[in-house]
Amino acid sequence: MRTIQRNRFEDLEIAPASFGVAILNKEKFLEVLKELEAITDLNLLKIKMMALKGGITFPKRDREGILNIDSNGDTVSLRKDVLISELGQILEAHTIGRAKYYLKRLENGIQKIKTSKINDINLLRWKEYDGIITDSLWVLDKRDTSGAHLGWYWGNFIPQIPHQMMLRYTKRGEWVLDTFVGSGTTLIECRRLGRNGIGIELNPTVTQNATELVEREHNKHNVTTEVITDDSRTADIEAVLGKYGIKQVQLLIMHPPYYDIIEFSKDRRDLSRAENIDEFLKMFGDVVDNATPFLEKGRYFALVIGDKYSKGEWIPLGFYCMNEVLRRGYLLKSVIVKNFVETRAKRNQKELWRYRALVGGFYIFKHEYVMLFKKKGRA
Ligand SMILES: C[S@@+](CC[C@H](N)C(=O)[O-])C[C@H]1O[C@@H](n2cnc3c(N)ncnc32)[C@H](O)[C@@H]1O
């Protein structure tokens, strides 16, 4: 008997890794889990669990009918690799108490949904969200150029930034405001993830291009995405939101010019045209002041910013901006350090920069920041 069980177990170990979805007959699966929970002998529980795991991994072995979906049946879709690993965890439990704890957890994940106030992550199935980054160091090897994300705009951010922010800090159908919309990366991501998005951009030509690009992204969740041309320091955000019958947004994203690193226009209202750092910080602060009343209390503000060099000195622009935000009723939640995805131009100049760094005693910029703030007060 033992030998047979071991052989079956080895079969499971060499099974091809599958990251597909297991669609199960919910009622039947819960019934089987309940039966397992009633077992008091750990070995017997493991033998039955092995059979269950076998049936899910190799559908031909599904004697319980867990994979049989009748036309009126209620189904549950689970990530197959996560489910198999959870069943494996039960098989490895050393005590019956532990095994039952894991069983109950699996059952809860199927029957219930537990989310926080600020996103749709089902905490009872948190293992399925391994695409959501929780570390403060982001090393991304390439930008997402799928769909309408073309990456044509010099000074844009990679779509993974608004993507991660929206998944962590908004629920589907909520509203996002981006006060420096540029090529519309945030709004394209809004369409993909089913969030409504309002963007403000100073340069009318850039607004026009962004609008066209955003329109190219299929609006499968039927959300609102609008780019308006205005100065974010003074734009009438109340009126813009009022058009859609809302008073506040649930996520604020800002990716301002990194002072004068890229001159975005000749317009004196453009933050990249500030006379000096003090004026840049004043202008940035004015944008924060103008937008803050329209962010719901307890919600998040993501600031994407980098530092710069000037006359042989490292200027901590990111931290200066952080201080501006902290003076305005926000808590600092995280400072994420993100690598720069290398562009072709930079790659070509690599050796020159390395030489300059060795001569000048400095380090070459390879990172920028995603700073996360929470508006004080309860939601
Ligand atoms: C770093 S870019 C943003 C890029 C954007 N995240 C993207 O992915 O394309 C900054 C943008 O802010 C705009 N800008 C500068 N000053 C502004 C102001 N006062 N009001 C609104 N937009 C402004 C610039 O025209 C530029 O497009």
Side-chain angles (χ1 to χ4, degrees):
M1 177 71 180
R2 248 191 208 153
T3 321
I4 294 169
Q5 288 305 336
R6 194 178 305 128
N7 285 343
R8 288 185 69 183
F9 189 68
E10 279 162 7
D11 277 357
L12 298 183
E13 294 304 299
I14 56 156
S18 165
F19 296 99
V21 173
I23 301 172
L24 309 179
N25 181 324
K26 188 171 170 181
E27 201 181 316
K28 189 76 210 161
F29 190 46
L30 284 171
E31 202 178 287
V32 171
L33 292 183
K34 282 259 183 273
E35 276 168 27
L36 291 174
E37 266 178 59
I39 296 175
T40 48
D41 176 66
L42 184 60
N43 283 335
L44 182 62
L45 176 72
K46 286 192 179 185
I47 290 168
K48 298 245 179 205
M49 179 51 71
M50 200 112 66
L52 175 64
K53 191 177 171 200
I56 289 168
T57 314
F58 302 104
K60 277 190 191 151
R61 288 192 195 161
D62 174 29
R63 297 201 186 94
E64 311 278 358
I66 286 168
L67 301 174
N68 293 345
I69 313 295
D70 58 88
S71 54
N72 300 318
D74 196 1
T75 61
V76 61
S77 308
L78 301 170
R79 238 182 67 175
K80 198 169 175 181
D81 59 322
V82 175
L83 173 61
I84 303 259
S85 120
E86 300 237 315
L87 298 180
Q89 202 172 20
I90 299 169
L91 276 174
E92 278 161 24
H94 292 300
T95 63
I96 187 80
R98 203 68 201 155
K100 288 195 179 184
Y101 166 80
Y102 292 140
L103 267 172
K104 193 78 202 155
R105 197 176 64 180
L106 183 58
E107 197 186 312
N108 278 342
I110 290 160
Q111 282 182 311
K112 300 180 196 158
I113 295 176
K114 182 181 163 198
T115 60
S116 76
K117 281 186 186 164
I118 58 163
N119 60 39
D120 289 326
I121 297 170
N122 182 357
L123 295 167
L124 296 173
R125 283 168 61 177
W126 63 272
K127 288 190 183 173
E128 297 190 4
Y129 296 87
D130 51 7
I132 292 187
I133 309 174
T134 44
D135 290 343
S136 68
L137 179 63
W138 292 11
V139 182
L140 306 171
D141 61 351
K142 54 179 183 332
R143 68 175 294 125
D144 172 6
T145 49
S146 61
H149 287 305
L150 298 180
W152 58 277
Y153 193 52
W154 201 32
N156 57 13
F157 56 29
I158 56 170
Q160 289 94 324
I161 294 178
H163 180 90
Q164 291 288 331
M165 295 300 112
M166 285 180 212
L167 290 180
R168 284 294 293 281
Y169 304 115
T170 58
K171 288 179 180 284
R172 192 171 276 188
E174 288 190 331
W175 290 78
V176 179
L177 173 66
D178 182 337
T179 57
F180 300 97
V181 88
S183 58
T185 315
T186 298
L187 301 190
I188 293 169
E189 230 23 67
C190 277
R191 283 193 166 207
R192 290 185 167 189
L193 297 175
R195 274 69 173 166
N196 298 289
I198 304 287
I200 308 173
E201 167 57 50
L202 185 66
N203 185 332
T205 316
V206 175
T207 300
Q208 177 67 27
N209 286 341
T211 305
E212 284 168 19
L213 206 60
V214 173
E215 287 304 319
R216 267 199 238 166
E217 184 69 38
H218 177 46
N219 191 2
K220 57 177 186 247
H221 302 285
N222 202 17
V223 290
T224 298
T225 45
E226 189 187 349
V227 188
I228 57 161
T229 305
D230 212 333
D231 178 350
S232 284
R233 295 173 304 165
T234 50
D236 188 349
I237 298 173
E238 187 174 12
V240 179
L241 301 186
K243 259 181 26 186
Y244 299 104
I246 58 161
K247 289 191 180 341
Q248 288 188 310
V249 300
Q250 287 72 40
L251 173 67
L252 180 58
I253 296 185
M254 289 194 197
H255 182 211
Y258 301 178
Y259 178 33
D260 58 356
I261 292 186
I262 298 173
E263 188 183 272
F264 284 96
S265 69
K266 299 279 176 214
D267 193 323
R268 278 290 293 128
R269 299 170 301 165
D270 187 323
L271 269 70
S272 67
R273 295 296 314 271
E275 290 285 342
N276 49 46
I277 300 244
D278 286 343
E279 196 194 4
F280 170 81
L281 293 174
K282 162 83 176 69
M283 292 170 91
F284 171 69
D286 287 346
V287 179
V288 178
D289 280 337
N290 194 33
T292 296
F294 304 100
L295 175 66
E296 240 178 48
K297 281 184 185 157
R299 290 309 194 103
Y300 284 72
F301 166 18
L303 169 65
V304 184
I305 185 82
D307 295 331
K308 64 162 276 172
Y309 268 118
S310 175
K311 300 186 187 110
E313 192 183 354
W314 182 297
I315 311 290
L317 200 61
F319 294 101
Y320 289 158
C321 288
M322 178 184 84
N323 280 336
E324 290 300 318
V325 178
L326 291 180
R327 275 199 231 136
R328 291 170 162 86
Y330 287 94
L331 291 175
L332 180 64
K333 291 293 285 188
S334 287
V335 176
I336 295 160
V337 175
K338 181 202 143 285
N339 67 317
F340 279 138
V341 178
E342 212 170 56
T343 60
R344 206 173 309 136
K346 284 224 187 91
R347 226 173 293 138
N348 292 341
Q349 290 188 334
K350 214 171 180 170
E351 292 199 342
L352 178 62
W353 275 109
R354 185 162 160 72
Y355 178 74
R356 283 184 184 157
L358 288 169
V359 173
F362 62 83
Y363 285 84
I364 304 160
F365 280 114
K366 285 283 175 183
H367 69 276
E368 57 197 330
Y369 309 103
V370 182
M371 296 180 164
L372 276 158
F373 307 93
K374 187 174 174 184
K375 187 168 161 179
K376 286 182 188 166
R378 278 176 179 269

